[in-house]
Amino acid sequence: FPVTIQLGIALVLDASFQRLSQRQQELFTKTSIYRREFDSLAAKAVMDNYPEIALSEITADLRELQRRSLLEEKEENRQRIFSFQPLVWEYAQYKAGDQRELHQKAIAYYISTIRTKPWQTLKDVTEYLEIFYHWSQLKVYDSAFDILRAIEDFLTRRGYYQTLADYYLELVT
């Protein structure tokens, strides 16, 4: 995008962001740690400033963010799933600032939701791949490598050679 369009989009996003409550602003910026879709439980996992908040309140705030076009929402297996548009995600990450602590919380969340074997599809090891991503973002490459090794046999046997190669390439670079 040309600079003037980017500036215009940033101004619109800033105006929308300023109209949010403090909790909604925090929810918006903290959930930007997730690069893929997330649910209310994942959002609650990063909202440690509000330990008493009910999951229904988190969901209501996420739905408000969706209503304001800051998130996208879909229903999957009778569960609400949220995600960011790429440009909005970049803006939310910019507003979030230093995300090291959030990466740690995301890792803890994904560890708590890991699916055990037997795995059938790549979706069954999504949590491992997300943990890999967050360890890589923290530059804790030994831990990222260990996570990859935990699913390497599965990826190899199921023919996900390119996926495996891509993740190892991330480690090397």
Side-chain angles (χ1 to χ4, degrees), residues 142-155:
D142 288 345
S143 295
F145 177 75
D146 291 343
I147 286 294
L148 203 51
R149 293 282 299 167
I151 59 172
E152 180 180 31
D153 189 47
F154 165 77
L155 294 174

Side-chain angles (χ1 to χ4, degrees), residues 97-163:
D98 182 11
Q99 293 186 310
R100 284 179 287 204
E101 187 179 322
L102 290 175
H103 283 295
Q104 293 284 357
K105 289 177 184 166
I107 289 166
Y109 169 72
Y110 284 119
I111 286 173
S112 75
T113 62
I114 281 180
R115 294 185 187 130
T116 57
K117 294 178 182 179
W119 304 311
Q120 301 298 317
T121 67
L122 195 57
K123 188 173 171 108
D124 294 336
V125 295
T126 298
E127 292 82 5
Y128 288 89
L129 298 174
E130 291 305 301
I131 293 167
F132 172 88
Y133 165 77
H134 291 288
W135 279 128
S136 296
Q137 293 299 302
L138 289 170
K139 296 179 176 27
V140 182
Y141 300 115
D142 288 345
S143 295
F145 177 75
D146 291 343
I147 286 294
L148 203 51
R149 293 282 299 167
I151 59 172
E152 180 180 31
D153 189 47
F154 165 77
L155 294 174
T156 302
R157 288 177 188 229
R158 290 291 179 167
Y160 294 111
Y161 307 115
Q162 189 59 52
T163 301

Side-chain angles (χ1 to χ4, degrees), residues 50-111:
Y50 301 90
E52 75 291 339
I53 192 169
L55 197 57
S56 60
E57 291 178 87
I58 293 277
T59 303
D61 283 345
L62 289 169
R63 298 204 71 211
E64 178 62 20
L65 293 175
Q66 183 274 327
R67 191 185 71 71
R68 293 175 184 239
S69 301
L70 295 171
L71 288 177
E72 291 190 336
E73 177 185 11
K74 69 179 182 179
E75 194 168 317
E76 191 175 285
N77 299 329
R78 298 175 11 140
Q79 181 180 14
R80 297 191 187 288
I81 305 294
F82 300 91
S83 61
F84 285 91
Q85 285 286 339
L87 205 54
V88 176
W89 183 64
E90 286 180 35
Y91 172 81
Q93 288 204 312
Y94 165 75
K95 293 298 274 185
D98 182 11
Q99 293 186 310
R100 284 179 287 204
E101 187 179 322
L102 290 175
H103 283 295
Q104 293 284 357
K105 289 177 184 166
I107 289 166
Y109 169 72
Y110 284 119
I111 286 173

